[in-house]
Amino acid sequence: MSTKTSGDWIAQFPGLMQLDEQVKAPLAESSRIVSLPVGTRIFGPGQAPSNYMLLLEGSVRVQQSSDTGREIVLYRVSAGETCALTTACLMGYEEYQAEAIAETNVSAVAVPRETFDSLIAKSPDFRRFVFAAFSERITNLLKVIEEVAFARIDIRLAQNLLRLAGDNRKAAVTHQQLASELGTAREVISRQLQEFQRRGWTASSRGAIEIMEREALEQLAKA
Amino acid sequence: MSTKTSGDWIAQFPGLMQLDEQVKAPLAESSRIVSLPVGTRIFGPGQAPSNYMLLLEGSVRVQQSSDTGREIVLYRVSAGETCALTTACLMGYEEYQAEAIAETNVSAVAVPRETFDSLIAKSPDFRRFVFAAFSERITNLLKVIEEVAFARIDIRLAQNLLRLAGDNRKAAVTHQQLASELGTAREVISRQLQEFQRRGWTASSRGAIEIMEREALEQLAKA
DNA sequence: CCGCTCTCGGTGACTAAGTCACATACCCCG
DNA sequence: CGGGGTATGTGACTTAGTCACCGAGAGCGG
């Protein structure tokens, strides 16, 4: 599913809006808007990305799996952002073990490598846009390393519950999904949640966690 | 300690050698060769890098510390390579929590940001060089995440012992240093090494580990 | 509405890893 | 050769992850 673009989408990216007209033009002209249904695997081992992707709508989860079946979420790409690994892959011509999966229905702009290359070469602003996004992801990866290596699981769970719930009282996730977020095992999550529940901080139902005492969780999360 | 360069060093970087003369010239002219004694902190929190660094000689360790005093080595930069985080910092104008430390006496070429920017803009080859290096580091970081999150400590220890020993029979490291490599605690390393020793795979002396049965370690390392 | 199946969550028993506190051993330097 | 600083050893305990299995809900076809 793809259509040629008019370039209207450029306005959705603050970093691109102020580009010169002669930069915007080829960008708009050569790129395509693609729609991807939820669950689509966007890239993964043996499936190298071949376009530079700008997300217009939806959310993409980038994760890594171990051979023992455990998984860990590295980061998410949401509307208005770009996928760093895709970028890295384009830049370095190298493949990654990680995989990217559409968490929702996604619409995105796909910029072909040639256009990407030539824009990088021609436009300092475009470069800045790409690099800044890139830089942000790396910071993020470093944070993931720090958390996996050094942080307690109860703290990380509290952080993730709050993040996944957002402003809602309930987070619609299974224990297994939480385990995959943190890169741990389902049983570990189940036991931690039991402890939270024992303290009256959360309530569990099949496929959802209700936050009863947000403050207590926030307290733990920043410990 | 810094001296203006003649540009001879460019020959040490295969990726730079085939650059056009009009690219090499400003590179050689505006950059400086710097010497850093072992232990120098090259960047860290509150100490942003301000130059693009190309390593001529020596080795730089990039690591992250936790508030509980544990540390983990993210990667090393050795002669002929560049530091990705430095690059990212230049590109994204963002700061990192990680710190870089000279493991040996180091000599490096420091390219000022302006020169770096202009070369990125002008030379596709230089871009390729920078991006390829960058890309490689990211692959590496992903591998670190996978190992910290999923791999057994005995396996990681075996891998690191072999790596640190190289072709030598002995690796001159303390248990604490090994612990910092892996992002774990010293006691954990001590106990694992005792187990290796019990099996006759290694022998320990103060500040050094001797490899007795390389094959057994290699076997474990790739398990 | 019943029963089947599939996913989700609960649990016990065990192993692996990390923490804390403290005891030794070793080495160098004066 | 003695003492201080660094390196390593160890026990007791907590936290995290693994394995094997159970039972409860939810959805669906008959």
Short mmCIF file of all heavy atoms in Angstrom, two decimals, chain C residues 8-22:
data_model
loop_
_atom_site.label_atom_id
_atom_site.label_comp_id
_atom_site.label_asym_id
_atom_site.label_seq_id
_atom_site.Cartn_x
_atom_site.Cartn_y
_atom_site.Cartn_z
P DC C 8 -2.07 -14.25 26.05
OP1 DC C 8 -2.46 -12.90 25.62
OP2 DC C 8 -0.71 -14.77 25.79
"O5'" DC C 8 -2.37 -14.36 27.61
"C5'" DC C 8 -3.65 -13.99 28.09
"C4'" DC C 8 -3.73 -14.30 29.57
"O4'" DC C 8 -3.74 -15.73 29.73
"C3'" DC C 8 -2.52 -13.80 30.34
"O3'" DC C 8 -2.98 -12.83 31.27
"C2'" DC C 8 -1.93 -15.04 31.00
"C1'" DC C 8 -3.07 -16.06 30.90
N1 DC C 8 -2.67 -17.49 30.77
C2 DC C 8 -3.17 -18.43 31.68
O2 DC C 8 -3.94 -18.05 32.57
N3 DC C 8 -2.80 -19.72 31.55
C4 DC C 8 -1.98 -20.08 30.56
N4 DC C 8 -1.64 -21.39 30.47
C5 DC C 8 -1.46 -19.15 29.63
C6 DC C 8 -1.83 -17.86 29.78
P DG C 9 -1.99 -12.06 32.21
OP1 DG C 9 -2.64 -10.80 32.62
OP2 DG C 9 -0.67 -12.06 31.59
"O5'" DG C 9 -1.97 -13.01 33.48
"C5'" DG C 9 -3.18 -13.20 34.21
"C4'" DG C 9 -2.98 -14.25 35.27
"O4'" DG C 9 -2.61 -15.50 34.64
"C3'" DG C 9 -1.86 -13.95 36.29
"O3'" DG C 9 -2.46 -14.06 37.57
"C2'" DG C 9 -0.81 -15.01 36.01
"C1'" DG C 9 -1.66 -16.13 35.45
N9 DG C 9 -0.96 -17.08 34.60
C8 DG C 9 -0.24 -16.83 33.46
N7 DG C 9 0.26 -17.92 32.92
C5 DG C 9 -0.17 -18.93 33.76
C6 DG C 9 0.05 -20.33 33.68
O6 DG C 9 0.69 -20.96 32.85
N1 DG C 9 -0.57 -21.01 34.74
C2 DG C 9 -1.31 -20.41 35.73
N2 DG C 9 -1.83 -21.21 36.66
N3 DG C 9 -1.53 -19.11 35.81
C4 DG C 9 -0.93 -18.44 34.79
P DG C 10 -1.60 -13.93 38.86
OP1 DG C 10 -2.44 -13.29 39.89
OP2 DG C 10 -0.28 -13.38 38.51
"O5'" DG C 10 -1.42 -15.45 39.27
"C5'" DG C 10 -2.56 -16.21 39.70
"C4'" DG C 10 -2.10 -17.42 40.46
"O4'" DG C 10 -1.47 -18.35 39.52
"C3'" DG C 10 -1.07 -17.16 41.55
"O3'" DG C 10 -1.44 -17.97 42.66
"C2'" DG C 10 0.26 -17.59 40.91
"C1'" DG C 10 -0.18 -18.71 39.99
N9 DG C 10 0.63 -18.90 38.79
C8 DG C 10 1.02 -17.93 37.90
N7 DG C 10 1.72 -18.40 36.90
C5 DG C 10 1.80 -19.76 37.14
C6 DG C 10 2.43 -20.79 36.40
O6 DG C 10 3.07 -20.70 35.36
N1 DG C 10 2.27 -22.04 37.01
C2 DG C 10 1.57 -22.25 38.18
N2 DG C 10 1.53 -23.50 38.62
N3 DG C 10 0.98 -21.29 38.88
C4 DG C 10 1.13 -20.08 38.31
P DT C 11 -0.70 -17.88 44.02
OP1 DT C 11 -1.68 -18.24 45.06
OP2 DT C 11 0.04 -16.61 44.07
"O5'" DT C 11 0.35 -19.07 43.92
"C5'" DT C 11 -0.12 -20.37 43.56
"C4'" DT C 11 1.04 -21.32 43.58
"O4'" DT C 11 1.65 -21.38 42.27
"C3'" DT C 11 2.17 -20.95 44.55
"O3'" DT C 11 2.34 -22.03 45.43
"C2'" DT C 11 3.38 -20.73 43.66
"C1'" DT C 11 3.03 -21.56 42.45
N1 DT C 11 3.67 -21.15 41.17
C2 DT C 11 4.23 -22.12 40.38
O2 DT C 11 4.23 -23.30 40.67
N3 DT C 11 4.79 -21.67 39.22
C4 DT C 11 4.86 -20.33 38.79
O4 DT C 11 5.38 -20.05 37.72
C5 DT C 11 4.25 -19.38 39.67
C7 DT C 11 4.25 -17.93 39.30
C6 DT C 11 3.70 -19.82 40.81
P DG C 12 3.27 -21.88 46.70
OP1 DG C 12 2.42 -22.16 47.87
OP2 DG C 12 4.06 -20.64 46.64
"O5'" DG C 12 4.26 -23.12 46.51
"C5'" DG C 12 3.75 -24.36 46.05
"C4'" DG C 12 4.90 -25.27 45.67
"O4'" DG C 12 5.39 -24.91 44.36
"C3'" DG C 12 6.10 -25.19 46.61
"O3'" DG C 12 6.65 -26.50 46.74
"C2'" DG C 12 7.04 -24.23 45.88
"C1'" DG C 12 6.76 -24.57 44.42
N9 DG C 12 6.96 -23.47 43.47
C8 DG C 12 6.64 -22.15 43.64
N7 DG C 12 6.91 -21.41 42.59
C5 DG C 12 7.45 -22.31 41.68
C6 DG C 12 7.94 -22.10 40.37
O6 DG C 12 7.98 -21.05 39.73
N1 DG C 12 8.40 -23.28 39.80
C2 DG C 12 8.39 -24.50 40.42
N2 DG C 12 8.88 -25.52 39.72
N3 DG C 12 7.94 -24.72 41.64
C4 DG C 12 7.49 -23.58 42.22
P DA C 13 7.82 -26.81 47.73
OP1 DA C 13 7.53 -28.13 48.32
OP2 DA C 13 8.08 -25.63 48.59
"O5'" DA C 13 9.05 -26.98 46.73
"C5'" DA C 13 8.88 -27.80 45.57
"C4'" DA C 13 10.18 -27.77 44.79
"O4'" DA C 13 10.18 -26.62 43.91
"C3'" DA C 13 11.42 -27.61 45.69
"O3'" DA C 13 12.47 -28.37 45.12
"C2'" DA C 13 11.69 -26.11 45.62
"C1'" DA C 13 11.34 -25.85 44.16
N9 DA C 13 11.04 -24.45 43.84
C8 DA C 13 10.56 -23.47 44.66
N7 DA C 13 10.41 -22.31 44.08
C5 DA C 13 10.84 -22.54 42.77
C6 DA C 13 10.93 -21.72 41.65
N6 DA C 13 10.58 -20.43 41.65
N1 DA C 13 11.39 -22.27 40.51
C2 DA C 13 11.75 -23.56 40.51
N3 DA C 13 11.69 -24.45 41.51
C4 DA C 13 11.23 -23.86 42.62
P DC C 14 13.82 -28.59 45.95
OP1 DC C 14 14.08 -30.04 45.89
OP2 DC C 14 13.78 -27.86 47.22
"O5'" DC C 14 14.89 -27.89 45.01
"C5'" DC C 14 14.98 -28.31 43.64
"C4'" DC C 14 15.55 -27.19 42.82
"O4'" DC C 14 14.70 -26.02 42.94
"C3'" DC C 14 16.93 -26.70 43.27
"O3'" DC C 14 17.91 -27.19 42.37
"C2'" DC C 14 16.84 -25.18 43.21
"C1'" DC C 14 15.49 -24.93 42.56
N1 DC C 14 14.87 -23.66 43.00
C2 DC C 14 14.72 -22.65 42.07
O2 DC C 14 15.07 -22.87 40.89
N3 DC C 14 14.18 -21.47 42.45
C4 DC C 14 13.82 -21.28 43.72
N4 DC C 14 13.30 -20.10 44.04
C5 DC C 14 13.97 -22.31 44.70
C6 DC C 14 14.50 -23.47 44.31
P DT C 15 19.46 -26.95 42.70
OP1 DT C 15 20.17 -28.17 42.29
OP2 DT C 15 19.61 -26.37 44.06
"O5'" DT C 15 19.82 -25.79 41.67
"C5'" DT C 15 19.41 -25.89 40.31
"C4'" DT C 15 19.77 -24.59 39.61
"O4'" DT C 15 18.90 -23.53 40.09
"C3'" DT C 15 21.20 -24.13 39.87
"O3'" DT C 15 21.75 -23.74 38.63
"C2'" DT C 15 21.05 -22.98 40.85
"C1'" DT C 15 19.68 -22.42 40.46
N1 DT C 15 18.93 -21.72 41.53
C2 DT C 15 18.39 -20.50 41.26
O2 DT C 15 18.51 -19.95 40.18
N3 DT C 15 17.69 -19.94 42.29
C4 DT C 15 17.49 -20.46 43.55
O4 DT C 15 16.84 -19.86 44.40
C5 DT C 15 18.09 -21.75 43.78
C7 DT C 15 17.94 -22.41 45.12
C6 DT C 15 18.78 -22.32 42.77
P DA C 16 23.22 -23.12 38.53
OP1 DA C 16 23.77 -23.59 37.24
OP2 DA C 16 23.94 -23.34 39.81
"O5'" DA C 16 22.94 -21.56 38.43
"C5'" DA C 16 22.16 -21.05 37.37
"C4'" DA C 16 22.19 -19.55 37.44
"O4'" DA C 16 21.42 -19.11 38.59
"C3'" DA C 16 23.58 -18.94 37.60
"O3'" DA C 16 23.63 -17.87 36.68
"C2'" DA C 16 23.64 -18.50 39.06
"C1'" DA C 16 22.16 -18.19 39.35
N9 DA C 16 21.72 -18.39 40.74
C8 DA C 16 21.91 -19.50 41.51
N7 DA C 16 21.35 -19.41 42.71
C5 DA C 16 20.76 -18.16 42.71
C6 DA C 16 20.01 -17.47 43.67
N6 DA C 16 19.71 -17.96 44.88
N1 DA C 16 19.56 -16.23 43.35
C2 DA C 16 19.85 -15.74 42.14
N3 DA C 16 20.54 -16.30 41.15
C4 DA C 16 20.97 -17.52 41.51
P DA C 17 24.93 -16.97 36.56
OP1 DA C 17 24.96 -16.48 35.17
OP2 DA C 17 26.10 -17.66 37.15
"O5'" DA C 17 24.53 -15.76 37.51
"C5'" DA C 17 23.40 -14.98 37.16
"C4'" DA C 17 23.26 -13.85 38.15
"O4'" DA C 17 22.86 -14.38 39.43
"C3'" DA C 17 24.53 -13.05 38.39
"O3'" DA C 17 24.17 -11.71 38.17
"C2'" DA C 17 24.89 -13.36 39.84
"C1'" DA C 17 23.53 -13.68 40.45
N9 DA C 17 23.50 -14.57 41.60
C8 DA C 17 24.09 -15.80 41.73
N7 DA C 17 23.85 -16.39 42.88
C5 DA C 17 23.04 -15.48 43.56
C6 DA C 17 22.43 -15.51 44.83
N6 DA C 17 22.56 -16.53 45.68
N1 DA C 17 21.68 -14.45 45.19
C2 DA C 17 21.55 -13.43 44.33
N3 DA C 17 22.08 -13.28 43.10
C4 DA C 17 22.81 -14.36 42.78
P DG C 18 25.16 -10.50 38.45
OP1 DG C 18 24.80 -9.41 37.54
OP2 DG C 18 26.54 -11.02 38.50
"O5'" DG C 18 24.72 -10.07 39.91
"C5'" DG C 18 23.46 -9.44 40.08
"C4'" DG C 18 23.33 -8.95 41.50
"O4'" DG C 18 23.37 -10.08 42.39
"C3'" DG C 18 24.46 -8.01 41.96
"O3'" DG C 18 23.85 -6.93 42.64
"C2'" DG C 18 25.31 -8.90 42.86
"C1'" DG C 18 24.24 -9.81 43.46
N9 DG C 18 24.69 -11.11 43.96
C8 DG C 18 25.45 -12.04 43.30
N7 DG C 18 25.66 -13.12 44.02
C5 DG C 18 24.99 -12.87 45.22
C6 DG C 18 24.86 -13.68 46.39
O6 DG C 18 25.32 -14.80 46.60
N1 DG C 18 24.09 -13.05 47.36
C2 DG C 18 23.53 -11.80 47.22
N2 DG C 18 22.84 -11.35 48.26
N3 DG C 18 23.65 -11.05 46.15
C4 DG C 18 24.38 -11.64 45.19
P DT C 19 24.65 -5.79 43.38
OP1 DT C 19 23.87 -4.56 43.26
OP2 DT C 19 26.07 -5.87 42.97
"O5'" DT C 19 24.58 -6.27 44.90
"C5'" DT C 19 23.31 -6.42 45.49
"C4'" DT C 19 23.46 -6.50 46.98
"O4'" DT C 19 23.93 -7.82 47.34
"C3'" DT C 19 24.44 -5.51 47.60
"O3'" DT C 19 23.78 -4.95 48.72
"C2'" DT C 19 25.65 -6.37 47.97
"C1'" DT C 19 24.98 -7.71 48.27
N1 DT C 19 25.76 -8.96 48.07
C2 DT C 19 25.71 -9.92 49.04
O2 DT C 19 25.10 -9.77 50.08
N3 DT C 19 26.42 -11.05 48.77
C4 DT C 19 27.15 -11.33 47.62
O4 DT C 19 27.74 -12.40 47.49
C5 DT C 19 27.16 -10.28 46.64
C7 DT C 19 27.92 -10.49 45.37
C6 DT C 19 26.47 -9.15 46.90
P DC C 20 24.36 -3.67 49.47
OP1 DC C 20 23.18 -2.89 49.88
OP2 DC C 20 25.43 -3.05 48.66
"O5'" DC C 20 25.00 -4.32 50.78
"C5'" DC C 20 24.23 -5.25 51.53
"C4'" DC C 20 25.07 -5.83 52.64
"O4'" DC C 20 25.72 -7.03 52.18
"C3'" DC C 20 26.17 -4.91 53.16
"O3'" DC C 20 26.05 -4.85 54.57
"C2'" DC C 20 27.45 -5.57 52.70
"C1'" DC C 20 27.03 -7.04 52.66
N1 DC C 20 27.80 -7.92 51.76
C2 DC C 20 28.08 -9.23 52.15
O2 DC C 20 27.68 -9.63 53.26
N3 DC C 20 28.78 -10.03 51.30
C4 DC C 20 29.19 -9.58 50.13
N4 DC C 20 29.86 -10.41 49.34
C5 DC C 20 28.90 -8.24 49.71
C6 DC C 20 28.22 -7.45 50.54
P DA C 21 26.89 -3.81 55.45
OP1 DA C 21 25.92 -3.15 56.34
OP2 DA C 21 27.81 -3.02 54.61
"O5'" DA C 21 27.77 -4.81 56.33
"C5'" DA C 21 27.25 -6.11 56.66
"C4'" DA C 21 28.39 -6.97 57.16
"O4'" DA C 21 28.92 -7.75 56.05
"C3'" DA C 21 29.58 -6.19 57.72
"O3'" DA C 21 30.03 -6.81 58.90
"C2'" DA C 21 30.60 -6.23 56.61
"C1'" DA C 21 30.32 -7.61 56.02
N9 DA C 21 30.77 -7.78 54.64
C8 DA C 21 30.85 -6.83 53.65
N7 DA C 21 31.32 -7.27 52.51
C5 DA C 21 31.57 -8.61 52.76
C6 DA C 21 32.07 -9.64 51.95
N6 DA C 21 32.42 -9.48 50.67
N1 DA C 21 32.19 -10.87 52.51
C2 DA C 21 31.83 -11.03 53.80
N3 DA C 21 31.34 -10.14 54.65
C4 DA C 21 31.23 -8.94 54.06
P DC C 22 31.07 -6.07 59.85
OP1 DC C 22 30.50 -6.21 61.20
OP2 DC C 22 31.46 -4.75 59.32
"O5'" DC C 22 32.33 -7.04 59.76
"C5'" DC C 22 32.10 -8.44 59.80
"C4'" DC C 22 33.20 -9.13 59.06
"O4'" DC C 22 33.14 -8.88 57.64
"C3'" DC C 22 34.62 -8.70 59.48
"O3'" DC C 22 35.27 -9.83 60.00
"C2'" DC C 22 35.24 -8.22 58.18
"C1'" DC C 22 34.45 -9.04 57.18
N1 DC C 22 34.57 -8.61 55.78
C2 DC C 22 34.90 -9.57 54.81
O2 DC C 22 35.04 -10.75 55.16
N3 DC C 22 35.08 -9.19 53.51
C4 DC C 22 34.93 -7.90 53.19
N4 DC C 22 35.10 -7.58 51.91
C5 DC C 22 34.57 -6.92 54.16
C6 DC C 22 34.41 -7.30 55.42
#
